[in-house]
Amino acid sequence: MIYETRVYRCLPGRLPALLKRFENTTLKLWEKHGIKQAGFWTTVIGESSQTLYYMLAWDSLADREKKWNAFGVDPEWLAARAKTEEAGPIVANVKNFILGPTPYSSVQ
């Protein structure tokens, strides 16, 4: 199992729109495509209150490529993303990291 950490830095004041999009749309589409989330976090104390962190669990890099690419071109996703951005962009930038657990990690 490998894990992907994704960090979304939102434009000022746009984090609530991103959270709503995940809750109402994105998670359902991920389920459709077999994408497994491992958790979501926002900053309680720290540098930015406009950042969303989340992790995805993948069986392999090939599993990630297949499922993420299918999600990325799903017409339902493209329409939902466009609708949620009618008032303007939500995310300023995205960073992602693919992580493999160490032998002693409690998460394998």
Side-chain angles (χ1 to χ4, degrees):
M1 179 96 25
I2 60 171
Y3 296 87
E4 181 174 3
T5 299
R6 296 182 64 87
V7 181
Y8 285 47
R9 297 210 187 271
C10 292
L11 293 166
R14 299 293 280 154
L15 180 62
L18 180 63
L19 298 176
K20 184 177 176 182
R21 182 167 73 190
F22 271 102
E23 183 176 3
N24 297 329
T25 304
T26 308
L27 292 177
K28 292 173 189 148
L29 289 170
W30 282 358
E31 188 174 327
K32 171 183 165 183
H33 290 280
I35 296 172
K36 298 176 276 188
Q37 62 112 331
F40 282 82
W41 299 267
T42 56
T43 305
V44 175
I45 299 171
E47 185 179 315
S48 174
S49 63
Q50 292 297 309
T51 303
L52 175 67
Y53 305 84
Y54 69 88
M55 293 187 78
L56 301 172
W58 305 103
D59 292 331
S60 65
L61 287 173
D63 178 52
R64 180 196 182 273
E65 182 177 358
K66 177 183 170 189
K67 292 175 180 176
W68 193 254
N69 289 344
F71 164 71
V73 297
D74 185 315
E76 192 176 352
W77 162 243
L78 295 172
R81 188 177 71 190
K83 177 130 181 82
T84 60
E85 293 183 352
E86 286 176 343
I90 294 174
V91 177
N93 66 47
V94 176
K95 292 182 182 179
N96 72 310
F97 309 88
I98 305 293
L99 308 171
T102 61
Y104 48 85
S105 174
S106 65
V107 176
Q108 293 294 319

